[in-house]
Amino acid sequence: MRSLSSPALAGAAGLWIALVMGLSGGAAAEPTGLRDCEDLTPRGTPVCPELVVVPAGQGLMGSPADEAGHRPDEAPRHPITIARAFAVGKTEVTFSQWDACVAEGGCQGHRPADFGWGRGERPVIGVSWQDAQSYVQWLGRKTGRRYRLLSEAEWEYAARAGTTTPFDSGAEIGAHQANLLDPHSREQFAYRRTTVPVGSFPANAFGLQDVHGNVWEWVEDCYSPSYDGAPADGSARTTGSCRYRVLRGGSWYQVMTAARAANRNWADPAYRSNDIGFRVARSLE
């Protein structure tokens, strides 16, 4: 994993969707929430993640060379089409939701440490890509729905929610909008030194929260150092070398440029860190 000032991880680079069009020529659909089970954890919080429906649309992947933080693996820019709406976790998967999976005999019994920060509604950390796969498989069995991780294209399409700037908030992002570290701008960022509970910051236009910062999010794709030959339909790239899988979104331990919607990170699929988590997706029948 490439180093980006991470406590146990390394990595970053990019991808960019320059234009997102909603279901009707550019207007984003009203965020739609749904949940596929009514079970509650012992803490009284929902077991199944809340989902929002992300509309179909079109965009560009890849960042312009003059974007601050741009890296070579964010090129070449290329058009993509998301032909069908899909559902995405409103927030990252929480400790409560992960622990419910373990309690029901899933997630390979892995109970990651919380580093003394607390469990509950904080995003689960210390989970590998393989662990994330075990969670979506368990959730699929529980609900009878086709849960999975997002593709890189879907992740950024959903994160941008129709914006063309590095962040859904514009060219920069502030401490009231994301949990990040920026040692060059202490007046802008409060370095919290931990994760924060999911949903602590405003949602984007599609209804997603925490896409910038808090924890890196595993996606389905195998890492490739360029977008040459990347799928144009928004599907995950799963051919070629899959020695590394992709992470997106930055974390509590990352500087602002690492949390750009375009930025990419990568790691061994068995790798675990205290600033890595994930978000779920499912296809809509």
Side-chain angles (χ1 to χ4, degrees):
M1 198 167 179
R2 259 184 325 236
S3 177
L4 253 192
S5 303
S6 172
L9 82 105
L15 162 149
W16 190 59
I17 296 177
L19 172 66
V20 174
M21 299 194 311
L23 290 172
S24 56
E30 185 71 18
T32 304
L34 58 115
R35 206 186 298 270
D36 288 327
C37 72
E38 298 180 357
D39 305 40
L40 298 179
T41 71
R43 303 172 65 95
T45 58
V47 167
C48 288
E50 182 179 358
L51 307 176
V52 296
V53 176
V54 172
Q58 297 176 334
L60 291 174
M61 287 185 70
S63 68
D66 61 355
E67 181 171 301
H70 168 84
R71 291 176 179 267
D73 63 356
E74 299 172 15
R77 297 173 73 189
H78 59 283
I80 60 163
T81 297
I82 305 295
R84 299 184 63 183
F86 60 102
V88 181
K90 182 177 182 179
T91 68
E92 297 140 342
V93 172
T94 67
F95 264 108
S96 287
Q97 291 161 350
W98 181 272
D99 290 344
C101 173
V102 173
E104 293 190 10
C107 293
Q108 304 175 89
H110 173 51
R111 185 175 170 82
D114 62 17
F115 290 81
W117 303 338
R119 301 178 83 81
E121 296 310 291
R122 290 179 184 261
V124 66
I125 52 177
V127 287
S128 67
W129 183 88
Q130 295 167 347
D131 296 329
Q133 292 291 345
S134 70
Y135 179 86
V136 295
Q137 291 164 11
W138 168 81
L139 193 57
R141 292 193 300 270
K142 181 177 182 64
T143 64
R145 304 287 190 176
R146 293 186 293 171
Y147 276 90
R148 54 184 176 78
L149 297 181
L150 287 81
S151 70
E152 278 203 89
E154 288 175 332
W155 187 96
E156 189 162 342
Y157 178 89
R160 285 193 177 279
T163 64
T164 62
T165 49
F167 306 94
D168 58 27
S169 58
E172 295 186 345
I173 197 166
H176 63 293
Q177 297 166 307
N179 183 23
L180 288 165
L181 159 69
D182 191 339
H184 305 297
S185 185
R186 290 293 188 180
E187 73 283 0
Q188 182 180 10
F189 283 97
Y191 183 25
R192 298 175 176 91
R193 301 180 186 276
T194 71
T195 60
V196 297
V198 301
S200 293
F201 303 100
N204 69 15
F206 283 167
L208 275 67
Q209 295 177 274
D210 310 319
V211 292
H212 302 297
N214 215 17
V215 294
W216 288 104
E217 299 178 14
W218 289 110
V219 295
E220 184 67 24
D221 297 59
C222 305
Y223 175 75
S224 179
S226 84
Y227 284 133
D228 288 330
D233 61 359
S235 60
R237 175 180 277 187
T238 56
T239 58
S241 173
C242 286
R243 179 180 178 185
Y244 301 110
R245 296 286 178 164
V246 179
L247 297 127
R248 304 302 303 270
S251 79
W252 62 269
Y253 200 78
Q254 302 300 322
V255 297
M256 184 169 62
T257 55
R260 292 176 300 122
N263 194 57
R264 303 168 72 198
N265 196 355
W266 50 264
D268 185 290
Y271 186 73
R272 294 168 175 167
S273 173
N274 64 1
D275 66 345
I276 292 180
F278 66 101
R279 185 184 304 259
V280 301
R282 79 165 170 85
S283 301
L284 298 175
E285 292 77 8

